Amino acid sequence: ARRGRRARMEEEEEEEDGGRGAAGRPALSGRFVRCLYAVGFLDLFGVSMVVPLMNLHIKSLGASHTVAGIIGSLYGVMQLFSSTFVGCWSDIVGRQYSLLACILLSALGYFLLGTSTTVFLFAISRVPVGIFKHTLSISKALLSDLVSERDRPLVMGRFNAASSVGFILGPVVGGYLAELEGGFYQTSFICASIFLLNGGLVWMLPWNEENTGNREHHQDKGTNSFSAKANHDLHLKSAANRAVTNNNVFQSPWIQVATVLKKIKEIACSNLWDIFLVRFLMSVAILLYYSNFTLALEERFGVKPLFSGYLTSYSSALGVLAGCLLGPITRLYQHNTYRILLHSSTFTCTLILLYASALNIWMVILSSTFLAFSTTIGRTCIIDLELTIGGNEASGTLLGVGQSVTSVGRIIAPLLSGIAQEFSPCGPPSLAVGLALVAILIMNANKQKYCSHGNVKFKNQ
């Protein structure tokens, strides 16, 4: 009993220690993981500086509302088709090269945006960003490679929290710069510079030393709470992956494309589609909740848009806190990702129902407060469940497919929201409750599969 208590105390100390304990690695790996947190922060900080200003800029160039909408949709469509391909490509050529390529080509896109003096140049600048803006997905795949399955939700939650902080601070800085003469162009160039800085950070990461540190760590049976066999298997897998990556970097583009298509076919023929369906349904449900949030509050309670903006920022800040609390939550659930996802999805469904039936603004504030926690935890857990059941061997592909599924939700949700809103301001959240219930039923129907923790693999492997 004394040994058990001491083991639990050591485990809690490790998980509370920044990146070191969470990643289950020595100090070098802890620095590596913390640098990836900085990559996520800088990525969303730069993007959120520019994105809120884009509609105003394109209208100032003389674009109509229809043209502005088409160009805005162009980004989402490109993300839909590129997410899976870029994620799969990162599995083939390695995270370092794919992450650098995505960051630098995104920097090019924002640099072009800073020179866009016509609608045509504005549209052209969105192409490289739409295709290669997958920094966060590849970073998550890299974190999945570095950390154990047990600690993955904790590390992913902290990565999401760091990224969310950037998303909160970016609009403030961008809004201030927009007040200056030529503010949009300055903001775009600063965003491109931030991406270049991010690329330099990725370039300077100790990739070779990280691999050496991992090898030494896996050979030491007493450095963590996992078994020697598990460490040995993980070492063999990471060594094999590095060998394959080093060979694939120098393959011809045609061979790389053929390999990408083969891996995508394996995903398409796998039995993971129920997980992606759950992700799709919950994504659409949450998007429906936010789709007419400001307008619905004004129509139902006479609340001004400024208050709605404050409430949205308040929820975003709570989402950051939720990402930091994933460690204690996973320990409370004994690292059972399925149960966390099921309970958070049920909680999300209940809170959206509370919002749809709210009688006063205080019920809206209450639902928004707890919804920030449940949605943040749910997003992290669905990614962890995809990687657990699909296997880390194709983590980039799995995350890419997941991003594509979410992109489909972003395309469909505004249409559903518009139709539901014709009936009532509460139409979109009421529809969201129905979709969330379907997702919960699917999870209950596949309980045994989700609890198998990686025993389910691709059917054709």
Side-chain angles (χ1 to χ4, degrees), residues 336-358:
N336 189 328
T337 305
Y338 163 76
R339 286 182 59 212
I340 302 175
L341 178 61
L342 180 62
H343 291 173
S344 66
S345 300
T346 305
F347 201 31
T348 296
C349 180
T350 304
L351 290 170
I352 297 176
L353 178 61
L354 175 64
Y355 162 74
S357 59

mmCIF file with all atom_site columns, all heavy atoms in Angstrom, residues 336-358:
data_model
loop_
_atom_site.group_PDB
_atom_site.id
_atom_site.type_symbol
_atom_site.label_atom_id
_atom_site.label_alt_id
_atom_site.label_comp_id
_atom_site.label_asym_id
_atom_site.label_entity_id
_atom_site.label_seq_id
_atom_site.pdbx_PDB_ins_code
_atom_site.Cartn_x
_atom_site.Cartn_y
_atom_site.Cartn_z
_atom_site.occupancy
_atom_site.B_iso_or_equiv
_atom_site.pdbx_formal_charge
_atom_site.auth_seq_id
_atom_site.auth_comp_id
_atom_site.auth_asym_id
_atom_site.auth_atom_id
_atom_site.pdbx_PDB_model_num
ATOM 1   N N   . ASN A 1 336 ? -9.342  7.055  -18.822 1.00 0.00 ? 336 ASN A N   1
ATOM 2   C CA  . ASN A 1 336 ? -10.326 6.433  -19.717 1.00 0.00 ? 336 ASN A CA  1
ATOM 3   C C   . ASN A 1 336 ? -10.893 7.524  -20.629 1.00 0.00 ? 336 ASN A C   1
ATOM 4   O O   . ASN A 1 336 ? -11.839 8.232  -20.271 1.00 0.00 ? 336 ASN A O   1
ATOM 5   C CB  . ASN A 1 336 ? -11.436 5.772  -18.899 1.00 0.00 ? 336 ASN A CB  1
ATOM 6   C CG  . ASN A 1 336 ? -12.357 4.922  -19.767 1.00 0.00 ? 336 ASN A CG  1
ATOM 7   O OD1 . ASN A 1 336 ? -12.588 5.227  -20.934 1.00 0.00 ? 336 ASN A OD1 1
ATOM 8   N ND2 . ASN A 1 336 ? -12.884 3.852  -19.181 1.00 0.00 ? 336 ASN A ND2 1
ATOM 9   N N   . THR A 1 337 ? -10.311 7.668  -21.824 1.00 0.00 ? 337 THR A N   1
ATOM 10  C CA  . THR A 1 337 ? -10.699 8.746  -22.738 1.00 0.00 ? 337 THR A CA  1
ATOM 11  C C   . THR A 1 337 ? -12.143 8.604  -23.193 1.00 0.00 ? 337 THR A C   1
ATOM 12  O O   . THR A 1 337 ? -12.855 9.608  -23.355 1.00 0.00 ? 337 THR A O   1
ATOM 13  C CB  . THR A 1 337 ? -9.772  8.744  -23.968 1.00 0.00 ? 337 THR A CB  1
ATOM 14  O OG1 . THR A 1 337 ? -8.416  8.834  -23.532 1.00 0.00 ? 337 THR A OG1 1
ATOM 15  C CG2 . THR A 1 337 ? -10.074 9.915  -24.884 1.00 0.00 ? 337 THR A CG2 1
ATOM 16  N N   . TYR A 1 338 ? -12.588 7.377  -23.398 1.00 0.00 ? 338 TYR A N   1
ATOM 17  C CA  . TYR A 1 338 ? -13.960 7.165  -23.853 1.00 0.00 ? 338 TYR A CA  1
ATOM 18  C C   . TYR A 1 338 ? -14.973 7.731  -22.864 1.00 0.00 ? 338 TYR A C   1
ATOM 19  O O   . TYR A 1 338 ? -15.909 8.431  -23.246 1.00 0.00 ? 338 TYR A O   1
ATOM 20  C CB  . TYR A 1 338 ? -14.217 5.677  -24.087 1.00 0.00 ? 338 TYR A CB  1
ATOM 21  C CG  . TYR A 1 338 ? -15.692 5.344  -24.161 1.00 0.00 ? 338 TYR A CG  1
ATOM 22  C CD1 . TYR A 1 338 ? -16.431 5.655  -25.303 1.00 0.00 ? 338 TYR A CD1 1
ATOM 23  C CD2 . TYR A 1 338 ? -16.345 4.749  -23.084 1.00 0.00 ? 338 TYR A CD2 1
ATOM 24  C CE1 . TYR A 1 338 ? -17.789 5.372  -25.369 1.00 0.00 ? 338 TYR A CE1 1
ATOM 25  C CE2 . TYR A 1 338 ? -17.693 4.466  -23.139 1.00 0.00 ? 338 TYR A CE2 1
ATOM 26  C CZ  . TYR A 1 338 ? -18.411 4.777  -24.286 1.00 0.00 ? 338 TYR A CZ  1
ATOM 27  O OH  . TYR A 1 338 ? -19.751 4.508  -24.346 1.00 0.00 ? 338 TYR A OH  1
ATOM 28  N N   . ARG A 1 339 ? -14.786 7.439  -21.587 1.00 0.00 ? 339 ARG A N   1
ATOM 29  C CA  . ARG A 1 339 ? -15.721 7.933  -20.572 1.00 0.00 ? 339 ARG A CA  1
ATOM 30  C C   . ARG A 1 339 ? -15.706 9.452  -20.494 1.00 0.00 ? 339 ARG A C   1
ATOM 31  O O   . ARG A 1 339 ? -16.750 10.092 -20.339 1.00 0.00 ? 339 ARG A O   1
ATOM 32  C CB  . ARG A 1 339 ? -15.384 7.337  -19.203 1.00 0.00 ? 339 ARG A CB  1
ATOM 33  C CG  . ARG A 1 339 ? -15.773 5.862  -19.043 1.00 0.00 ? 339 ARG A CG  1
ATOM 34  C CD  . ARG A 1 339 ? -15.451 5.378  -17.651 1.00 0.00 ? 339 ARG A CD  1
ATOM 35  N NE  . ARG A 1 339 ? -16.152 6.170  -16.638 1.00 0.00 ? 339 ARG A NE  1
ATOM 36  C CZ  . ARG A 1 339 ? -15.659 6.423  -15.430 1.00 0.00 ? 339 ARG A CZ  1
ATOM 37  N NH1 . ARG A 1 339 ? -14.465 5.961  -15.091 1.00 0.00 ? 339 ARG A NH1 1
ATOM 38  N NH2 . ARG A 1 339 ? -16.353 7.139  -14.565 1.00 0.00 ? 339 ARG A NH2 1
ATOM 39  N N   . ILE A 1 340 ? -14.515 10.049 -20.594 1.00 0.00 ? 340 ILE A N   1
ATOM 40  C CA  . ILE A 1 340 ? -14.428 11.515 -20.554 1.00 0.00 ? 340 ILE A CA  1
ATOM 41  C C   . ILE A 1 340 ? -15.182 12.108 -21.734 1.00 0.00 ? 340 ILE A C   1
ATOM 42  O O   . ILE A 1 340 ? -15.949 13.071 -21.588 1.00 0.00 ? 340 ILE A O   1
ATOM 43  C CB  . ILE A 1 340 ? -12.961 11.974 -20.565 1.00 0.00 ? 340 ILE A CB  1
ATOM 44  C CG1 . ILE A 1 340 ? -12.193 11.393 -19.379 1.00 0.00 ? 340 ILE A CG1 1
ATOM 45  C CG2 . ILE A 1 340 ? -12.878 13.496 -20.532 1.00 0.00 ? 340 ILE A CG2 1
ATOM 46  C CD1 . ILE A 1 340 ? -10.710 11.715 -19.396 1.00 0.00 ? 340 ILE A CD1 1
ATOM 47  N N   . LEU A 1 341 ? -14.980 11.521 -22.924 1.00 0.00 ? 341 LEU A N   1
ATOM 48  C CA  . LEU A 1 341 ? -15.646 12.033 -24.121 1.00 0.00 ? 341 LEU A CA  1
ATOM 49  C C   . LEU A 1 341 ? -17.157 11.877 -24.019 1.00 0.00 ? 341 LEU A C   1
ATOM 50  O O   . LEU A 1 341 ? -17.913 12.795 -24.363 1.00 0.00 ? 341 LEU A O   1
ATOM 51  C CB  . LEU A 1 341 ? -15.120 11.311 -25.361 1.00 0.00 ? 341 LEU A CB  1
ATOM 52  C CG  . LEU A 1 341 ? -15.754 11.708 -26.698 1.00 0.00 ? 341 LEU A CG  1
ATOM 53  C CD1 . LEU A 1 341 ? -15.510 13.188 -26.981 1.00 0.00 ? 341 LEU A CD1 1
ATOM 54  C CD2 . LEU A 1 341 ? -15.215 10.845 -27.829 1.00 0.00 ? 341 LEU A CD2 1
ATOM 55  N N   . LEU A 1 342 ? -17.603 10.723 -23.547 1.00 0.00 ? 342 LEU A N   1
ATOM 56  C CA  . LEU A 1 342 ? -19.045 10.483 -23.420 1.00 0.00 ? 342 LEU A CA  1
ATOM 57  C C   . LEU A 1 342 ? -19.685 11.463 -22.444 1.00 0.00 ? 342 LEU A C   1
ATOM 58  O O   . LEU A 1 342 ? -20.732 12.064 -22.731 1.00 0.00 ? 342 LEU A O   1
ATOM 59  C CB  . LEU A 1 342 ? -19.294 9.045  -22.972 1.00 0.00 ? 342 LEU A CB  1
ATOM 60  C CG  . LEU A 1 342 ? -20.760 8.636  -22.791 1.00 0.00 ? 342 LEU A CG  1
ATOM 61  C CD1 . LEU A 1 342 ? -21.519 8.748  -24.109 1.00 0.00 ? 342 LEU A CD1 1
ATOM 62  C CD2 . LEU A 1 342 ? -20.852 7.219  -22.222 1.00 0.00 ? 342 LEU A CD2 1
ATOM 63  N N   . HIS A 1 343 ? -19.048 11.651 -21.303 1.00 0.00 ? 343 HIS A N   1
ATOM 64  C CA  . HIS A 1 343 ? -19.613 12.544 -20.297 1.00 0.00 ? 343 HIS A CA  1
ATOM 65  C C   . HIS A 1 343 ? -19.547 14.005 -20.741 1.00 0.00 ? 343 HIS A C   1
ATOM 66  O O   . HIS A 1 343 ? -20.497 14.774 -20.507 1.00 0.00 ? 343 HIS A O   1
ATOM 67  C CB  . HIS A 1 343 ? -18.879 12.362 -18.966 1.00 0.00 ? 343 HIS A CB  1
ATOM 68  C CG  . HIS A 1 343 ? -19.139 11.046 -18.326 1.00 0.00 ? 343 HIS A CG  1
ATOM 69  N ND1 . HIS A 1 343 ? -18.469 10.613 -17.192 1.00 0.00 ? 343 HIS A ND1 1
ATOM 70  C CD2 . HIS A 1 343 ? -19.996 10.035 -18.657 1.00 0.00 ? 343 HIS A CD2 1
ATOM 71  C CE1 . HIS A 1 343 ? -18.911 9.415  -16.844 1.00 0.00 ? 343 HIS A CE1 1
ATOM 72  N NE2 . HIS A 1 343 ? -19.826 9.041  -17.726 1.00 0.00 ? 343 HIS A NE2 1
ATOM 73  N N   . SER A 1 344 ? -18.435 14.412 -21.379 1.00 0.00 ? 344 SER A N   1
ATOM 74  C CA  . SER A 1 344 ? -18.335 15.800 -21.842 1.00 0.00 ? 344 SER A CA  1
ATOM 75  C C   . SER A 1 344 ? -19.338 16.073 -22.957 1.00 0.00 ? 344 SER A C   1
ATOM 76  O O   . SER A 1 344 ? -19.936 17.162 -23.011 1.00 0.00 ? 344 SER A O   1
ATOM 77  C CB  . SER A 1 344 ? -16.912 16.105 -22.324 1.00 0.00 ? 344 SER A CB  1
ATOM 78  O OG  . SER A 1 344 ? -16.581 15.346 -23.482 1.00 0.00 ? 344 SER A OG  1
ATOM 79  N N   . SER A 1 345 ? -19.564 15.101 -23.847 1.00 0.00 ? 345 SER A N   1
ATOM 80  C CA  . SER A 1 345 ? -20.550 15.285 -24.918 1.00 0.00 ? 345 SER A CA  1
ATOM 81  C C   . SER A 1 345 ? -21.965 15.370 -24.351 1.00 0.00 ? 345 SER A C   1
ATOM 82  O O   . SER A 1 345 ? -22.779 16.178 -24.807 1.00 0.00 ? 345 SER A O   1
ATOM 83  C CB  . SER A 1 345 ? -20.455 14.128 -25.920 1.00 0.00 ? 345 SER A CB  1
ATOM 84  O OG  . SER A 1 345 ? -19.177 14.066 -26.512 1.00 0.00 ? 345 SER A OG  1
ATOM 85  N N   . THR A 1 346 ? -22.257 14.530 -23.351 1.00 0.00 ? 346 THR A N   1
ATOM 86  C CA  . THR A 1 346 ? -23.565 14.596 -22.698 1.00 0.00 ? 346 THR A CA  1
ATOM 87  C C   . THR A 1 346 ? -23.759 15.935 -22.002 1.00 0.00 ? 346 THR A C   1
ATOM 88  O O   . THR A 1 346 ? -24.839 16.548 -22.061 1.00 0.00 ? 346 THR A O   1
ATOM 89  C CB  . THR A 1 346 ? -23.706 13.452 -21.678 1.00 0.00 ? 346 THR A CB  1
ATOM 90  O OG1 . THR A 1 346 ? -23.469 12.196 -22.334 1.00 0.00 ? 346 THR A OG1 1
ATOM 91  C CG2 . THR A 1 346 ? -25.085 13.434 -21.052 1.00 0.00 ? 346 THR A CG2 1
ATOM 92  N N   . PHE A 1 347 ? -22.697 16.407 -21.359 1.00 0.00 ? 347 PHE A N   1
ATOM 93  C CA  . PHE A 1 347 ? -22.748 17.704 -20.687 1.00 0.00 ? 347 PHE A CA  1
ATOM 94  C C   . PHE A 1 347 ? -22.956 18.831 -21.705 1.00 0.00 ? 347 PHE A C   1
ATOM 95  O O   . PHE A 1 347 ? -23.736 19.768 -21.479 1.00 0.00 ? 347 PHE A O   1
ATOM 96  C CB  . PHE A 1 347 ? -21.465 17.912 -19.899 1.00 0.00 ? 347 PHE A CB  1
ATOM 97  C CG  . PHE A 1 347 ? -21.569 18.934 -18.802 1.00 0.00 ? 347 PHE A CG  1
ATOM 98  C CD1 . PHE A 1 347 ? -22.754 19.151 -18.127 1.00 0.00 ? 347 PHE A CD1 1
ATOM 99  C CD2 . PHE A 1 347 ? -20.467 19.687 -18.455 1.00 0.00 ? 347 PHE A CD2 1
ATOM 100 C CE1 . PHE A 1 347 ? -22.846 20.099 -17.119 1.00 0.00 ? 347 PHE A CE1 1
ATOM 101 C CE2 . PHE A 1 347 ? -20.539 20.643 -17.450 1.00 0.00 ? 347 PHE A CE2 1
ATOM 102 C CZ  . PHE A 1 347 ? -21.739 20.843 -16.785 1.00 0.00 ? 347 PHE A CZ  1
ATOM 103 N N   . THR A 1 348 ? -22.247 18.749 -22.838 1.00 0.00 ? 348 THR A N   1
ATOM 104 C CA  . THR A 1 348 ? -22.392 19.744 -23.901 1.00 0.00 ? 348 THR A CA  1
ATOM 105 C C   . THR A 1 348 ? -23.826 19.783 -24.415 1.00 0.00 ? 348 THR A C   1
ATOM 106 O O   . THR A 1 348 ? -24.427 20.856 -24.593 1.00 0.00 ? 348 THR A O   1
ATOM 107 C CB  . THR A 1 348 ? -21.430 19.440 -25.062 1.00 0.00 ? 348 THR A CB  1
ATOM 108 O OG1 . THR A 1 348 ? -20.076 19.544 -24.606 1.00 0.00 ? 348 THR A OG1 1
ATOM 109 C CG2 . THR A 1 348 ? -21.640 20.398 -26.231 1.00 0.00 ? 348 THR A CG2 1
ATOM 110 N N   . CYS A 1 349 ? -24.399 18.610 -24.654 1.00 0.00 ? 349 CYS A N   1
ATOM 111 C CA  . CYS A 1 349 ? -25.785 18.522 -25.130 1.00 0.00 ? 349 CYS A CA  1
ATOM 112 C C   . CYS A 1 349 ? -26.752 19.154 -24.125 1.00 0.00 ? 349 CYS A C   1
ATOM 113 O O   . CYS A 1 349 ? -27.651 19.923 -24.503 1.00 0.00 ? 349 CYS A O   1
ATOM 114 C CB  . CYS A 1 349 ? -26.138 17.055 -25.372 1.00 0.00 ? 349 CYS A CB  1
ATOM 115 S SG  . CYS A 1 349 ? -27.821 16.780 -25.967 1.00 0.00 ? 349 CYS A SG  1
ATOM 116 N N   . THR A 1 350 ? -26.550 18.870 -22.844 1.00 0.00 ? 350 THR A N   1
ATOM 117 C CA  . THR A 1 350 ? -27.422 19.423 -21.809 1.00 0.00 ? 350 THR A CA  1
ATOM 118 C C   . THR A 1 350 ? -27.305 20.943 -21.727 1.00 0.00 ? 350 THR A C   1
ATOM 119 O O   . THR A 1 350 ? -28.306 21.662 -21.581 1.00 0.00 ? 350 THR A O   1
ATOM 120 C CB  . THR A 1 350 ? -27.068 18.801 -20.446 1.00 0.00 ? 350 THR A CB  1
ATOM 121 O OG1 . THR A 1 350 ? -27.149 17.372 -20.539 1.00 0.00 ? 350 THR A OG1 1
ATOM 122 C CG2 . THR A 1 350 ? -28.005 19.301 -19.358 1.00 0.00 ? 350 THR A CG2 1
ATOM 123 N N   . LEU A 1 351 ? -26.078 21.461 -21.864 1.00 0.00 ? 351 LEU A N   1
ATOM 124 C CA  . LEU A 1 351 ? -25.860 22.905 -21.756 1.00 0.00 ? 351 LEU A CA  1
ATOM 125 C C   . LEU A 1 351 ? -26.433 23.654 -22.960 1.00 0.00 ? 351 LEU A C   1
ATOM 126 O O   . LEU A 1 351 ? -26.967 24.757 -22.808 1.00 0.00 ? 351 LEU A O   1
ATOM 127 C CB  . LEU A 1 351 ? -24.360 23.188 -21.620 1.00 0.00 ? 351 LEU A CB  1
ATOM 128 C CG  . LEU A 1 351 ? -23.733 22.760 -20.284 1.00 0.00 ? 351 LEU A CG  1
ATOM 129 C CD1 . LEU A 1 351 ? -22.218 22.856 -20.358 1.00 0.00 ? 351 LEU A CD1 1
ATOM 130 C CD2 . LEU A 1 351 ? -24.266 23.609 -19.134 1.00 0.00 ? 351 LEU A CD2 1
ATOM 131 N N   . ILE A 1 352 ? -26.326 23.062 -24.147 1.00 0.00 ? 352 ILE A N   1
ATOM 132 C CA  . ILE A 1 352 ? -26.934 23.699 -25.319 1.00 0.00 ? 352 ILE A CA  1
ATOM 133 C C   . ILE A 1 352 ? -28.448 23.717 -25.175 1.00 0.00 ? 352 ILE A C   1
ATOM 134 O O   . ILE A 1 352 ? -29.112 24.696 -25.548 1.00 0.00 ? 352 ILE A O   1
ATOM 135 C CB  . ILE A 1 352 ? -26.500 22.984 -26.613 1.00 0.00 ? 352 ILE A CB  1
ATOM 136 C CG1 . ILE A 1 352 ? -24.991 23.108 -26.819 1.00 0.00 ? 352 ILE A CG1 1
ATOM 137 C CG2 . ILE A 1 352 ? -27.223 23.564 -27.825 1.00 0.00 ? 352 ILE A CG2 1
ATOM 138 C CD1 . ILE A 1 352 ? -24.466 22.352 -28.038 1.00 0.00 ? 352 ILE A CD1 1
ATOM 139 N N   . LEU A 1 353 ? -29.017 22.647 -24.621 1.00 0.00 ? 353 LEU A N   1
ATOM 140 C CA  . LEU A 1 353 ? -30.457 22.614 -24.355 1.00 0.00 ? 353 LEU A CA  1
ATOM 141 C C   . LEU A 1 353 ? -30.843 23.694 -23.340 1.00 0.00 ? 353 LEU A C   1
ATOM 142 O O   . LEU A 1 353 ? -31.880 24.364 -23.489 1.00 0.00 ? 353 LEU A O   1
ATOM 143 C CB  . LEU A 1 353 ? -30.859 21.230 -23.836 1.00 0.00 ? 353 LEU A CB  1
ATOM 144 C CG  . LEU A 1 353 ? -32.339 21.038 -23.465 1.00 0.00 ? 353 LEU A CG  1
ATOM 145 C CD1 . LEU A 1 353 ? -33.225 21.258 -24.695 1.00 0.00 ? 353 LEU A CD1 1
ATOM 146 C CD2 . LEU A 1 353 ? -32.559 19.644 -22.882 1.00 0.00 ? 353 LEU A CD2 1
ATOM 147 N N   . LEU A 1 354 ? -30.006 23.889 -22.316 1.00 0.00 ? 354 LEU A N   1
ATOM 148 C CA  . LEU A 1 354 ? -30.266 24.937 -21.327 1.00 0.00 ? 354 LEU A CA  1
ATOM 149 C C   . LEU A 1 354 ? -30.248 26.315 -21.990 1.00 0.00 ? 354 LEU A C   1
ATOM 150 O O   . LEU A 1 354 ? -31.099 27.169 -21.699 1.00 0.00 ? 354 LEU A O   1
ATOM 151 C CB  . LEU A 1 354 ? -29.214 24.865 -20.219 1.00 0.00 ? 354 LEU A CB  1
ATOM 152 C CG  . LEU A 1 354 ? -29.256 25.967 -19.151 1.00 0.00 ? 354 LEU A CG  1
ATOM 153 C CD1 . LEU A 1 354 ? -30.560 25.893 -18.361 1.00 0.00 ? 354 LEU A CD1 1
ATOM 154 C CD2 . LEU A 1 354 ? -28.049 25.846 -18.213 1.00 0.00 ? 354 LEU A CD2 1
ATOM 155 N N   . TYR A 1 355 ? -29.289 26.518 -22.899 1.00 0.00 ? 355 TYR A N   1
ATOM 156 C CA  . TYR A 1 355 ? -29.212 27.793 -23.609 1.00 0.00 ? 355 TYR A CA  1
ATOM 157 C C   . TYR A 1 355 ? -30.444 28.007 -24.492 1.00 0.00 ? 355 TYR A C   1
ATOM 158 O O   . TYR A 1 355 ? -31.008 29.110 -24.538 1.00 0.00 ? 355 TYR A O   1
ATOM 159 C CB  . TYR A 1 355 ? -27.935 27.829 -24.454 1.00 0.00 ? 355 TYR A CB  1
ATOM 160 C CG  . TYR A 1 355 ? -27.955 28.878 -25.546 1.00 0.00 ? 355 TYR A CG  1
ATOM 161 C CD1 . TYR A 1 355 ? -27.813 30.223 -25.242 1.00 0.00 ? 355 TYR A CD1 1
ATOM 162 C CD2 . TYR A 1 355 ? -28.114 28.511 -26.879 1.00 0.00 ? 355 TYR A CD2 1
ATOM 163 C CE1 . TYR A 1 355 ? -27.833 31.192 -26.241 1.00 0.00 ? 355 TYR A CE1 1
ATOM 164 C CE2 . TYR A 1 355 ? -28.141 29.462 -27.884 1.00 0.00 ? 355 TYR A CE2 1
ATOM 165 C CZ  . TYR A 1 355 ? -27.997 30.804 -27.558 1.00 0.00 ? 355 TYR A CZ  1
ATOM 166 O OH  . TYR A 1 355 ? -28.028 31.743 -28.543 1.00 0.00 ? 355 TYR A OH  1
ATOM 167 N N   . ALA A 1 356 ? -30.858 26.956 -25.201 1.00 0.00 ? 356 ALA A N   1
ATOM 168 C CA  . ALA A 1 356 ? -32.010 27.089 -26.104 1.00 0.00 ? 356 ALA A CA  1
ATOM 169 C C   . ALA A 1 356 ? -33.295 27.396 -25.348 1.00 0.00 ? 356 ALA A C   1
ATOM 170 O O   . ALA A 1 356 ? -34.196 28.059 -25.879 1.00 0.00 ? 356 ALA A O   1
ATOM 171 C CB  . ALA A 1 356 ? -32.181 25.807 -26.926 1.00 0.00 ? 356 ALA A CB  1
ATOM 172 N N   . SER A 1 357 ? -33.394 26.927 -24.106 1.00 0.00 ? 357 SER A N   1
ATOM 173 C CA  . SER A 1 357 ? -34.615 27.143 -23.317 1.00 0.00 ? 357 SER A CA  1
ATOM 174 C C   . SER A 1 357 ? -34.442 28.211 -22.248 1.00 0.00 ? 357 SER A C   1
ATOM 175 O O   . SER A 1 357 ? -35.287 28.327 -21.350 1.00 0.00 ? 357 SER A O   1
ATOM 176 C CB  . SER A 1 357 ? -35.033 25.827 -22.650 1.00 0.00 ? 357 SER A CB  1
ATOM 177 O OG  . SER A 1 357 ? -33.996 25.342 -21.814 1.00 0.00 ? 357 SER A OG  1
ATOM 178 N N   . ALA A 1 358 ? -33.353 29.001 -22.330 1.00 0.00 ? 358 ALA A N   1
ATOM 179 C CA  . ALA A 1 358 ? -33.059 29.997 -21.295 1.00 0.00 ? 358 ALA A CA  1
ATOM 180 C C   . ALA A 1 358 ? -34.155 31.053 -21.227 1.00 0.00 ? 358 ALA A C   1
ATOM 181 O O   . ALA A 1 358 ? -34.627 31.551 -22.255 1.00 0.00 ? 358 ALA A O   1
ATOM 182 C CB  . ALA A 1 358 ? -31.714 30.651 -21.572 1.00 0.00 ? 358 ALA A CB  1
#
